[in-house]
Amino acid sequence: MSQVSGFLEGERDYGNLKGDTGPLVYPAGFLYIYSALQHVTRGQVYPAQILFGLLYIVNLAIVLSIYVKTSVVPWWALSLLALSKRVHSIFVLRLFNDCFATTFLHAALFFLLKQKWHLGLIIFSAAVSVKMNVLLYAPALLILMLQAMDVFGVISALAGAALVQILLGLPFLLTHPVAYLSKAFNLGRVFIHFWSVNFKFVPEPTFISREFAVALLVAHLGLLTVFAHYRWCRHEGGLPSLLRLKIAELSSFSMTRFYCTSSTTKLLRTEYIATTMFVGNFIGIVCARSLHYQFYSCCAGM
């Protein structure tokens, strides 16, 4: 709430937006949501807890529908999804923005399972606009899009997602674009060693070093490449074969064909879509230098 006060007072320079927890580091979607919460709740905690409790029910319903649609677990195991004390705390006690980001993400996955790729990507982009951690799903999502759609469909879906980011960030992009992009989408931020979940055993000087960050990035990209080649793209003959196919389609790209030809799609199995997305995210979690408990609980626990 303290971080949105400056925005509500008319400040549009991201470099000047800050609160009790430090400078604002979330994209514009976060500002709009918490500005609306401040307006509705008048800054009071109890009304916000009621809204977050409803949000928890919505998120749980979406997650249950995802598991039911994929049929990967027995029905009795679904009850375990509602027993996490940590998730209850995150939604109804802590009121973190991870709750909104994760709900949007799960809603996007729900529509992806229905093969509605353009709508799913728009909602995915809305999730990214709340918190950038959602981008851990992006590599797996890109692979699925390349498999499900031709290159023209992929381009139009990505354009829709980009349009969401532009529209949400427009007030800041028109006034202080560099400050907005550097603060809201800062990929080079050095995280605090205290908050690390994965690497608390690593000495702090090593943890904050650039070499350690590069090593984790290489490990992340390496694991994604291995899974993409040997697991996700094995029916296409591996990742290079899929990329060659899309490059061939791209070489024949023309705006006339883009506007006059409908995109072709291929149906993917629901359990394959869900598994690929969750595995891709888990790879990102394993290689994350710093990861707050709330994101781990929301996006890995569910």
Side-chain angles (χ1 to χ4, degrees), residues 120-142:
L121 204 64
I122 287 174
I123 301 175
F124 180 85
S125 184
V128 173
S129 77
V130 179
K131 197 165 187 180
M132 243 193 352
N133 301 53
V134 178
L135 285 175
L136 292 178
Y137 285 92
L141 177 56
L142 180 59

Side-chain angles (χ1 to χ4, degrees), residues 139-155:
L141 177 56
L142 180 59
I143 292 292
L144 292 171
M145 291 169 58
L146 291 173
Q147 292 174 322
M149 297 186 290
D150 58 27
V151 69
F152 310 107
V154 173
I155 292 174

